[in-house]
Amino acid sequence: MKCMRIEEFIEEQLKERYKHFIIYGSPMQGKTKFAKAILNIFTGMYIDLLNVFESDSNKKNNIDIFGPSKLILLIKEYYEVDIKILVIDQMDFLINTWSENEFREFLVFVDQNQSNQCCIFIMHNYRILEREKLIKDNDKGNKRLLSIFEIHHGG
């Protein structure tokens, strides 16, 4: 699989109807560093989901019932007219509480949500991601489910 430049990919995604995509990889592969580097290139907002939960006792105390529909509502709270990119990182602690059907519900949102914002979700590998085609390619035929090894930035 050839590597693609993340700058070019995001520029294309911003023109798409379905802008959201996922970057995944195993622990300790530099996903968070990469996520923050994206915002050195593009104007946007970095959301550390773990920090959001740690700083809100209501969310922290209800993590076991914080399903995908609540996460989607939370993400939409960050939608702003002048912010085109939202990078949502550190979400694995939440996904690990979900059933496979709940994870599928979240993936439907990633696949089918139409908005002016491009949400980039950073997460670990999950077998369901590799096992089934749950997120359609963009109009140019580029995948919207990307391994950290398939992309690079700079140089």
Side-chain angles (χ1 to χ4, degrees), residues 43-144:
T43 302
M45 181 184 296
Y46 176 81
I47 302 165
D48 179 328
L49 203 57
L50 183 58
N51 188 48
V52 169
F53 273 74
E54 286 177 340
S55 60
D56 184 325
S57 61
N58 187 43
K59 285 182 182 62
K60 186 191 303 188
N61 293 334
N62 291 298
I63 189 172
D64 58 329
I65 58 169
F66 203 91
S69 58
K70 289 184 180 180
L71 176 60
I72 291 164
L73 289 174
L74 176 66
I75 291 166
K76 288 182 177 181
E77 288 178 17
Y78 290 98
Y79 281 6
E80 294 181 22
V81 176
D82 58 340
I83 293 179
K84 294 289 184 194
I85 296 178
L86 295 173
V87 178
I88 298 99
D89 194 10
Q90 304 292 347
M91 56 189 301
D92 298 289
F93 76 96
L94 187 58
I95 293 171
N96 287 328
T97 68
W98 295 347
S99 69
E100 191 169 294
N101 284 339
E102 288 174 312
F103 190 51
R104 286 176 190 274
E105 182 183 332
F106 167 73
L107 294 175
V108 167
F109 167 74
V110 175
D111 186 47
Q112 299 177 7
N113 182 260
Q114 294 182 41
S115 73
N116 291 326
Q117 285 73 28
C118 173
C119 291
I120 305 169
F121 297 95
I122 311 296
M123 65 180 66
H124 291 174
N125 299 17
Y126 290 96
R127 276 187 289 226
I128 191 172
L129 293 175
E130 297 167 355
R131 185 175 71 219
E132 301 174 42
K133 181 134 173 115
L134 298 169
I135 298 178
K136 293 183 284 302
D137 297 345
N138 69 16
D139 291 340
K140 294 201 186 301
N142 292 322
K143 295 189 315 180
R144 293 190 299 135

